Amino acid sequence: MRKLIVQEFVSADGFAADRDKTTSFFDGTKMHVGKEIDLYQVEFIKTIDTILLGKNTYEMFLEFWPNADPNEEPVADPLNSTNKLVVSTSLKEVSWGKWNNAAIINENIIDSIRELKSKPGKDIVVWGSLTLAKSLFKAKLVDELHVLVCPVAIGKGYHFISEDEELMKLKLLANKTFTSSVVSSVYQVIQ
């Protein structure tokens, strides 16, 4: 069975989005995480064939990635060519620039994702999409958690784990520190 991976960039104090619901603490506005991370992500994308996005993350990604210059953004081509499923009950249709690889899940979301996991293929990743990530953790569908901790503290923001979650057991599978001081930790979620 393919794995469902939640991969989140977080501040050192554990927030996946800042108080304004942006990710500017790692996306270049305030601190760029570096080309080393870009190359790490290019290699990671080779292990997946589906990207799950919530509505807000989809809209944020859509503004940038389909038009990103692959010479400046090495992640652009692999990300753009990977299938995307957008989870939203309010959107009626989705697109991804010149790529015809975006579809929508708007009903029976948990069952649809459970079925997707049971089909043959590479792994599935959720990027950002804090509400979706919380729902998938609650439904016990997440197999791995990949946390990239950025060397900043932002004081206030939004988590990708629900405050209702009392204890989530994790097993460390890999750990890597980048020259930018970003630390990547890969955990297996113990169900």
Side-chain angles (χ1 to χ4, degrees):
M1 181 183 285
R2 30 197 324 205
K3 291 183 292 191
L4 177 60
I5 299 165
V6 170
Q7 186 185 68
E8 299 285 350
F9 282 85
V10 299
S11 62
D13 49 350
F15 297 106
D18 63 22
R19 61 192 75 209
D20 298 320
K21 295 187 178 180
T22 76
T23 56
S24 65
F25 66 91
F26 73 81
D27 71 2
T29 305
K30 296 180 182 168
M31 177 206 130
H32 184 67
V33 295
K35 291 296 179 193
E36 191 179 18
I37 301 289
D38 293 341
L39 299 176
Y40 175 82
Q41 289 296 87
V42 168
E43 290 303 309
F44 172 71
I45 292 172
K46 292 177 182 177
T47 70
I48 64 169
D49 65 10
T50 306
I51 300 168
L52 285 175
L53 300 169
K55 176 185 179 283
N56 293 337
T57 302
Y58 160 72
E59 289 174 341
M60 181 177 67
F61 276 28
L62 189 61
E63 287 179 19
F64 180 77
W65 287 112
N67 301 309
D69 181 350
N71 295 316
E72 293 180 22
E73 298 288 346
V75 175
D77 280 346
L79 185 150
N80 287 327
S81 62
T82 301
N83 291 327
K84 287 136 209 90
L85 289 172
V86 180
V87 176
S88 173
T89 55
S90 62
L91 293 174
K92 301 301 177 211
E93 59 183 50
V94 293
S95 63
W96 199 264
K98 67 180 181 182
W99 292 267
N100 188 20
N101 62 359
I104 194 163
I105 299 175
N106 56 12
E107 54 186 42
N108 303 320
I109 292 166
I110 296 300
D111 289 338
S112 296
I113 294 172
R114 186 175 284 118
E115 181 182 338
L116 177 66
K117 281 185 65 174
S118 71
K119 293 181 178 177
K122 294 182 179 180
D123 293 335
I124 305 159
V125 69
V126 176
W127 279 329
S129 309
L130 306 184
T131 302
L132 174 59
K134 288 175 185 178
S135 298
L136 296 173
F137 278 114
K138 182 178 181 179
K140 307 286 189 218
L141 288 176
V142 179
D143 300 294
E144 286 185 5
L145 170 61
H146 296 198
V147 180
L148 290 104
V149 180
C150 299
V152 296
I154 60 174
K156 183 178 178 184
Y158 294 86
H159 295 282
F160 62 91
I161 301 288
S162 171
E163 291 179 8
D164 295 335
E165 189 75 48
E166 288 187 35
L167 177 67
M168 182 184 304
K169 293 185 179 182
L170 305 170
K171 177 183 178 183
L172 183 66
L173 301 177
N175 208 37
K176 179 176 177 61
T177 302
F178 295 93
T179 56
S180 62
S181 296
V182 171
V183 177
S184 169
S185 298
V186 174
Y187 296 97
Q188 176 185 359
V189 178
I190 308 297
Q191 304 292 352

